[in-house]
Amino acid sequence: MTLTYADYLSLDTLLDLQKPRSTPPEHDEMLFIIIHQTYELWFKQLLHEFEKVKRDFSGNDLYGAIHTMKRCRTVMKTLVGQLDILETMTPMSFTSFRDRLETASGFQSVQFREFEYVLGHKRKDMLKYYEAGSPGRALLERRLEERSVMDHFYDFLEARGVEVAQGLRDRARELPTEAHPAVQEGIHRLYFEDPSVGILFELMTDFDEGLMEWRYRHVMMVARTIGEKRGTGGSLGVEFLKRSLFQPAFPDLWAVRHRL
Ligand code: HEM
């Protein structure tokens, strides 16, 4: 039998995965499910790209890294733009099926937390929201111990003559990225010495700005949809989400900008 479009994409399975829980059916619940599933697919793609960019960095492959970061940046901006669609849902509509979510929350997205950890944004305390012994929790524990994209970026910088402090190299892997003056000196020098490396730095900055934009747009969407209510995941909601605003994944890139 010849392979069809539907076979190749497993469409029968994919299109059977949207299962609204509200009775009588609430029209907007379909959108709510599809948008979250779409995000999870893009998270999967980004995690796939991050493995590639790690190899690019450690192999000192500048053009490979530029190509990968360009794709990551473009996906990230798409993730931000998609929030517009969910903002067409009114608070009243969301309230009509919110109870059906019970304690389910984006908080429990394993891929989002992997995404943070792989980048180097290692908030270990977030592990407690994933059930001990579950496959998701085990995956995150492994991710915490892995070298982050930032660690591989240090390899790239070193290959280009930047002295990455031994202290940064020897830190426990579960710790979040720490901005460092020597790394910043190297980035600053490379911006002027090698404009093609500067293109990579700009793409990484675009990506990072996109991630911060997503956090901001998400918290504003939450504010307009549930106001001061607590989250279904049990956090304070908006107050909790505000704490991760303006925290870049690549702080060294931001720290040099006033000198460029
Ligand atoms: C009406 C729509 C939405 C509302 C009201 C909402 C609400 C919230 C709230 C209140 C939290 C804090 C945790 C909690 O207590 O539950 C949260 C976290 C989160 N949400 Fe949403 N959310 C919405 C849509 C989305 C969408 C479309 C995504 C896409 C994946 C998403 C992903 C996340 C993630 C990843 C977190 C964890 C953030 C972190 O730990 O920094 N949310 N959300």
Side-chain angles (χ1 to χ4, degrees), residues 36 39 89 105-107 112-113 123 218 221-222 231-235:
H36 280 86
Y39 273 104
M89 180 179 70
S105 158
F107 234 4
F112 180 77
R113 207 62 64 201
R123 296 194 270 169
H218 173 260
M221 180 186 66
V222 174
T232 46
S235 82

Side-chain angles (χ1 to χ4, degrees), residues 10 31 41 43 46 64-66 72 93 95 106 108 110 123 200 203 225 230 232 238 242-244 249 251:
S10 305
L31 173 66
L41 287 174
F43 291 156
L46 283 173
I66 286 178
C72 292
S93 169
T95 304
Q108 298 158 337
V110 172
R123 296 194 270 169
L200 171 66
L203 286 169
T225 309
R230 292 182 81 96
T232 46
V238 169
K242 276 186 185 168
R243 291 179 205 151
S244 52

Side-chain angles (χ1 to χ4, degrees), residues 32 35-40 43 82-83 86 89 94 97-98 101 103-109 112-113 116 121 123 126 129-130 214-215 218 221-223 225-226 229-238 240-241 244:
F32 191 77
I35 202 123
H36 280 86
Q37 290 181 340
T38 308
Y39 273 104
E40 289 292 337
F43 291 156
Q82 285 181 16
L83 288 175
L86 197 51
M89 180 179 70
F94 184 50
F97 66 87
R98 188 175 189 232
L101 306 180
T103 54
S105 158
F107 234 4
Q108 298 158 337
S109 166
F112 180 77
R113 207 62 64 201
E116 286 193 339
H121 192 97
R123 296 194 270 169
M126 298 308 288
Y129 297 106
Y130 301 84
W214 184 84
R215 291 192 198 274
H218 173 260
M221 180 186 66
V222 174
T225 309
I226 63 168
K229 288 181 194 164
R230 292 182 81 96
T232 46
S235 82
L236 286 176
V238 169
F240 162 78
L241 292 168
S244 52

Side-chain angles (χ1 to χ4, degrees), residues 119-134:
L119 285 172
H121 192 97
K122 293 184 172 173
R123 296 194 270 169
K124 191 180 179 187
D125 58 323
M126 298 308 288
L127 275 183
K128 64 174 177 281
Y129 297 106
Y130 301 84
E131 197 186 337
S134 63

Side-chain angles (χ1 to χ4, degrees), residues 104-199:
S105 158
F107 234 4
Q108 298 158 337
S109 166
V110 172
Q111 290 202 109
F112 180 77
R113 207 62 64 201
E114 277 187 87
F115 170 91
E116 286 193 339
Y117 287 180
V118 172
L119 285 172
H121 192 97
K122 293 184 172 173
R123 296 194 270 169
K124 191 180 179 187
D125 58 323
M126 298 308 288
L127 275 183
K128 64 174 177 281
Y129 297 106
Y130 301 84
E131 197 186 337
S134 63
R137 169 81 171 251
L139 180 55
L140 291 175
E141 283 163 354
R142 283 203 301 282
R143 288 295 202 186
L144 258 188
E145 291 303 325
E146 257 176 37
R147 297 181 77 222
S148 66
V149 166
M150 199 62 197
D151 291 319
H152 288 264
F153 183 53
Y154 294 150
D155 294 346
F156 175 83
L157 293 176
E158 247 174 19
R160 282 159 195 269
V162 177
E163 277 188 38
V164 178
Q166 201 52 38
L168 275 185
R169 292 298 208 174
D170 296 342
R171 292 162 76 239
R173 291 213 184 138
E174 61 170 46
L175 293 175
T177 298
E178 191 180 301
H180 197 284
V183 172
Q184 290 155 25
E185 276 315 305
I187 290 172
H188 182 257
R189 176 176 60 75
L190 284 170
Y191 254 114
F192 289 96
E193 275 179 22
D194 191 344
S196 54
V197 177
I199 293 173

